[in-house]
Amino acid sequence: QVHVVESGGGLVQAGDSLRLSCAASGRALNSYAMAWFRQAPRKERNFVAAIEWRSGIPYYADSVKGRFIISRDSAKNTMYLQMNSLKPEDTAVYYCAGGDPSNPMTPPGYDYWGRGTQVTVSS
């Protein structure tokens, strides 16, 4: 069963903004934290941002601090990633994840993963 689904990716120019959404359902609703990871072609999957669901405490990779904002709407069971001042190096497939990680900034402990949404930033 699919428990998290991403949407909102697209093709934009450098400096533009996008907002990604991740809708959670089923067992993913019990997640302690949810996060965004991204993976560029032939590169490792990297942490982008995470949020503790109940408290709303956010975590960010240094590369996106000051540009991206993670948030959640508990009533809608939806997590968002507002991406501003996009750069070509932000180009990647963005994945939504949920689970009970000991460290919200690393993949271990995230049991639910979306299929990904493509973000392409042209120069």
Side-chain angles (χ1 to χ4, degrees):
Q1 294 178 315
V2 177
H3 297 297
V4 293
V5 179
E6 312 96 330
S7 62
L11 173 62
V12 298
Q13 295 181 344
D16 285 353
S17 297
L18 277 176
R19 189 180 76 161
L20 305 183
S21 299
C22 175
S25 63
R27 291 182 294 177
L29 295 174
N30 296 321
S31 295
Y32 177 81
M34 295 190 71
W36 293 96
F37 292 82
R38 65 187 182 186
Q39 186 168 21
R42 295 192 174 184
K43 298 207 173 185
E44 64 181 356
R45 185 173 300 181
N46 294 132
F47 169 77
V48 178
I51 189 166
E52 295 184 6
W53 198 259
R54 293 185 183 277
S55 68
I57 296 174
Y59 303 80
Y60 296 99
D62 288 340
S63 60
V64 306
K65 285 182 178 178
R67 298 190 298 123
F68 291 8
I69 301 173
I70 191 169
S71 63
R72 87 277 194 257
D73 186 334
S74 297
K76 296 182 178 180
N77 297 319
T78 301
M79 176 180 66
Y80 304 98
L81 184 67
Q82 178 65 44
M83 304 184 294
N84 301 314
S85 301
L86 283 163
K87 305 174 180 180
E89 48 263 48
D90 294 318
T91 295
V93 176
Y94 284 69
Y95 297 92
C96 175
D100 303 307
S102 57
N103 183 348
M105 301 174 70
T106 60
Y110 287 108
D111 299 318
Y112 309 102
W113 293 83
R115 299 172 71 180
T117 184
Q118 178 71 48
V119 173
T120 302
V121 184
S122 63
S123 60

